[in-house]
Amino acid sequence: MIATTTFALAFSLAMDAFAAALGKGAALRRPSMGHALTVGAVFGGFQMVMPLIGFALGLAFADIVAAVDHWIAFVLLSVVGGRMVWEAWKGGDDTEEGAAGMALTLSALFMAGFATSVDALAIGVPLAFFDEPILATALIIGLVTFGLSTIGVLLGRAVGPLLGRWSVGIGGAGLVLLGSKILVQHLAA
């Protein structure tokens, strides 16, 4: 994957975490840099590890699905991205809205980190079918998520309720477009 595609994938995957971070920031009375860095580290860590797990699962089944890998990538990216777009469109309650002054607990943060990174697990599976530097890709995904989540917490108090669900929709649309690009490139080859 070229660098721009890797960064596009990273930004698309980070949108769920960014939206959740906006919600976390909106729920905290005065989000501090410590809060922002903690949320960023947890969300970024999950987003970095999950594609590695998906990649390992993809490798285990690579011989079986090598002939249809482009279709698998397209379907997984489209389903995950489509779900994100649908949630943004219907105005789901993925962004956590709570009373100002809500505490930032590690258990809730880990649950949110896991929930926002399940799509990264699904993305790791098709990466096993291509000659991709998975460690570099996972690191970029983790770092982009860390940065956007940290910023999201700090912005959350002011703009979380306004932009939270739309950032998820933009990320989902990016995943659908990425899946379509993979399919078109493979069919054209």
Side-chain angles (χ1 to χ4, degrees):
M1 216 181 301
I2 60 173
T4 55
T5 305
T6 301
F7 277 101
L9 174 64
F11 275 98
S12 294
L13 289 173
M15 285 297 114
D16 263 355
F18 177 71
L22 284 171
K24 293 280 186 199
L28 296 169
R29 183 178 309 272
R30 292 181 192 259
S32 67
M33 183 57 78
H35 289 126
L37 291 172
T38 300
V39 171
V42 170
F43 286 5
F46 271 102
Q47 288 278 25
M48 184 176 68
V49 169
M50 294 297 259
L52 296 173
I53 294 170
F55 184 83
L57 292 171
L59 283 179
F61 300 104
D63 292 339
I64 298 169
V65 294
V68 293
D69 57 358
H70 53 285
W71 285 104
I72 292 171
F74 171 72
V75 169
L76 287 175
L77 288 167
S78 295
V79 167
V80 170
R83 178 190 54 84
M84 291 168 65
V85 170
W86 175 253
E87 288 172 359
W89 179 260
K90 73 175 186 154
D93 54 354
D94 287 320
T95 57
E96 300 172 23
E97 295 178 11
M102 176 182 235
L104 183 65
T105 65
L106 280 181
S107 61
L109 193 55
F110 272 72
M111 286 178 18
F114 178 78
T116 60
S117 66
V118 170
D119 52 352
L121 173 75
I123 298 313
V125 173
L127 291 177
F129 307 129
F130 306 105
D131 285 331
E132 299 303 321
I134 186 61
L135 293 177
T137 301
L139 182 62
I140 290 169
I141 291 169
L143 289 173
V144 168
T145 303
F146 169 79
L148 288 177
S149 296
T150 301
I151 292 167
V153 171
L154 297 174
L155 292 176
R157 183 73 180 138
V159 299
L162 177 65
L163 295 180
R165 70 185 181 116
W166 295 112
S167 64
V168 173
I170 292 166
L175 290 178
V176 171
L177 289 173
L178 183 60
S180 299
K181 178 184 177 216
I182 289 170
L183 180 64
V184 168
Q185 283 180 334
H186 193 79
L187 293 176

